[in-house]
Amino acid sequence: MARTWPDRWLRVLRRTLLTVVGVQLGLAVAMTLVDSYRRRGKKPGEFPVTPPAQVPIGESTVTTYTYGRDLYDDMLEAIEGAQKQILFETYIWKGDATGERFKQALADAAARGVEVYCIYDGFANLVVSPVFKRFPRSMKVLRFPVYSAGLRFFDLRRYGRDHRKILVVDSEIGFVGGFNIGDAYATEWRDTHVRITGPGVWDLQRAVADFWNLHRRRRLRPSERPLLLETASDWEPRIRIQRNVPRLWMFPIRSMYLEAINRASRNVWITTAYFLPDQDFVDALKLAAARGVDVRLLVPLKSNHIVADWVSRGYFSQLLEAGVRILRYRDAMVHAKTATVDGTWTTVGTANIDRLSLSGNYEINVEVIDAGLAHQMEEVFRVDQSNCLELTVGEWEARDLHRKFTEFVLAPLRPLL
């Protein structure tokens, strides 16, 4: 039977779509392989850091860290001093010397009678040795599964990764931010974390407990016991915890950012490892710049995900034309997820400005309304800016034709990143 015209057109359309998708994926894979080859044996250069600085906020304090070794020392000191309970949650937990230090400190705490709860993401740690992931029975460990949807293949609420990084000790000390656990993050990556004490810790503690209780049930093994907490007697209203919970279809971090940007009258300074927002987010930055706000976006010159870098560049033309300053951090990977607005508002956390973080993964950001911390974060931004190359309109418009073609081909991958 002869094919009808609609059948022929559908066949041509299918082949065209498959070809386009194949070219995109092939280009992405090729770029990743070439970039991995070029990076072999290369070490990041030195970069400026800001020493830890503490800011009082009511009965709480917030300490800012921009260098992994400083942060790890204080995290380990808190673990070693624990008396009652440790809640530890991380995305990546390397099986290297740093990872072993944390594992041993947590095991020692459990051995002396401290309740130790640990959560790590199974997918992010696929390359970590199975031997490292064997923990003493005295530790309560939840491995967030690589695939958590089960038979509910089409339930998008069950596909988020656990991208959070939290440590809470004895309900008194809490740490949250962008740092994963590993040797490279201690000295080679520029990231930001905060340490919180006082009433501001309560919501961090509750966030870990809620995640544990939501995912503690196992299909093939006995389920973990629920993690129950006492009700907090007080709280610090200037320190707020915003957390994305895909399972409950909760994504407040994106709304938090948009609200702060839309209210800005003086400055919006954002640092992010990966910049792949939706158009509404881009429009909010452009509108802020149009009304005279000093909008600066600080991103890596070269991140650890070359495809994300190229896709991100597709936004640069409209941002530069709107007056947004784009600062590219050189010599090292900047992995921080921070922003400060108008000398009053600050956020530090785990969420990047991309689809996966803002509407896909389990993320957590601390939002602080305090001039002292905002001033501290502005100082951190200025130090980082001193290590940046600013992208100009002229430089951007003069880029090679093959670069423009690559950006065009990869642009449809934005919803996947």
Side-chain angles (χ1 to χ4, degrees), residues 283-295:
D283 289 343
L285 294 175
K286 291 164 58 179
L287 288 171
R291 64 177 182 266
V293 177
D294 175 12
V295 182

Side-chain angles (χ1 to χ4, degrees), residues 126-145:
L126 282 174
V127 298
V128 176
S129 168
V131 175
F132 176 79
K133 290 181 276 192
R134 296 173 186 165
F135 299 92
R137 295 181 65 86
S138 55
M139 296 172 58
K140 302 173 181 66
V141 180
L142 191 158
R143 170 186 171 273
F144 188 69

